[in-house]
Amino acid sequence: MKELISLLLFFPFLVHAQLLEKKETPKVEGHYWDLNGNKQIGLFEIDHTKSAGVGTKIKFYADGSDKPEKLNKKHMTSFVMGSDSFALIHNFRVTPIIKYISDFAEVVDTGAIHLYLHKRKAQQSGSTGMNSGFGTAYYSIYLEDYIIRKNNSQEYICISSKKTLEDVFLPMIEDYTELHKSVSLMKPKDAIEQLPALVREYKKYKKANP
C-alpha cells in the first residue's frame, strides 16, 4: 500500500514533466543569400519564441558542419527552408500590445497584395485530472497570424479580426466588385481563414485588369 501511495503522489509530477518535455527541433535543408550576395547552403533549425515581440530564433548548419551559426536580420533578409520561403517583415502588431520591430514570416503569396504567415508560441494550461489530484499541466501551442502588405507599401498589418478585415483588407480589393461583395458577406472568421485563396483570386484579377 505504501508503494502504491508513493506512486500516486509522484504521478502528477511525471505527467507534468512529460507534457513539458522539449522535443528536438527538426533540421530542414535550405539556403539563404548573405548580405554580400553569396548563397549559403545547409540545414535550418528554427524556433518560434514565446517572448512577446522577440522573434524567431534561427540556427544554421552550413554544409558539412556540425556546429550551428545563429542567424538574424544582420546576416540575411530572407531564406528558403524546404519548399517554404521566409522574408523579414517590419513594424507589425499581432495583438494591441504585442508588437514586432521585425521578424521572419513565411511568404504565402506576392503580387498586388503580399501575404505572410507569422508564427509564435504561447503557453497554455490544462487540467491533468484535477478531481483526481493530478494538478495542472502547461504546454506550448503555435499561434498563426496573417500579415498583409499592399504592393508599393511598406506597412505590414495583421488581419485577425472583423475590424482589420473591414478597415484594411476590404479597401484593398474594392476595385474587384464581385470579390469585395463576396468577402463582405462572409463571416469574418471564414474570410480570414481563406485569405490565401482570396489574395490569389485578387492577384488573377489584377493580372487580367492591370
Side-chain angles (χ1 to χ4, degrees):
M1 178 62 75
K2 288 183 179 180
E3 288 80 7
L4 178 60
I5 293 174
S6 298
L7 179 61
L8 290 173
L9 288 173
F10 176 71
F11 187 70
F13 299 98
L14 180 62
V15 172
H16 188 76
Q18 287 174 335
L19 289 171
L20 286 177
E21 183 181 1
K22 184 178 180 181
K23 295 182 179 180
E24 184 178 352
T25 305
K27 298 180 180 68
V28 182
E29 291 183 354
H31 62 268
Y32 74 97
W33 281 270
D34 62 28
L35 299 184
N36 293 319
N38 301 309
K39 186 177 182 179
Q40 307 294 334
I41 301 173
L43 298 174
F44 280 95
E45 185 179 286
I46 65 174
D47 181 31
H48 303 285
T49 62
K50 288 184 286 189
S51 301
V54 171
T56 306
K57 292 183 178 179
I58 303 171
K59 291 181 181 179
F60 181 74
Y61 297 78
D63 247 1
S65 175
D66 293 328
K67 295 183 178 180
E69 175 187 1
K70 293 182 180 179
L71 299 180
N72 54 42
K73 62 183 179 181
K74 295 179 180 178
H75 306 95
M76 60 186 181
T77 56
S78 63
F79 64 93
V80 175
M81 188 176 73
S83 59
D84 299 321
S85 298
F86 295 79
L88 191 65
I89 62 177
H90 308 276
N91 299 318
F92 62 98
R93 295 182 184 273
V94 292
T95 74
I97 60 173
I98 300 179
K99 179 181 179 179
Y100 288 81
I101 300 301
S102 62
D103 195 16
F104 287 96
E106 181 182 341
V107 179
V108 179
D109 207 339
T110 58
I113 297 175
H114 300 278
L115 182 66
Y116 307 87
L117 181 64
H118 181 263
K119 294 183 180 181
R120 58 193 169 95
K121 279 183 182 177
Q123 186 166 282
Q124 296 287 319
S125 62
S127 173
T128 60
M130 205 66 180
N131 293 334
S132 303
F134 292 167
T136 301
Y138 296 90
Y139 53 94
S140 294
I141 63 170
Y142 281 115
L143 296 179
E144 299 181 340
D145 296 286
Y146 283 119
I147 312 293
I148 64 174
R149 175 172 71 87
K150 193 171 183 178
N151 198 15
N152 300 321
S153 169
Q154 294 303 314
E155 187 177 14
Y156 297 86
I157 304 174
C158 178
I159 305 299
S160 59
S161 64
K162 179 180 179 181
K163 179 174 175 57
T164 52
L165 188 72
E166 293 179 344
D167 293 352
V168 180
F169 183 67
L170 282 175
M172 285 185 173
I173 61 171
E174 62 183 356
D175 57 328
Y176 188 174
T177 308
E178 292 180 3
L179 183 63
H180 184 277
K181 182 178 180 181
S182 177
V183 176
S184 300
L185 296 175
M186 294 172 68
K187 293 181 179 179
K189 180 181 178 182
D190 293 338
I192 292 170
E193 288 179 352
Q194 296 178 42
L195 270 178
L198 298 174
V199 167
R200 284 193 292 269
E201 178 63 25
Y202 184 69
K203 182 178 182 179
K204 288 169 55 180
Y205 170 80
K206 292 301 288 184
K207 283 185 176 180
N209 302 273

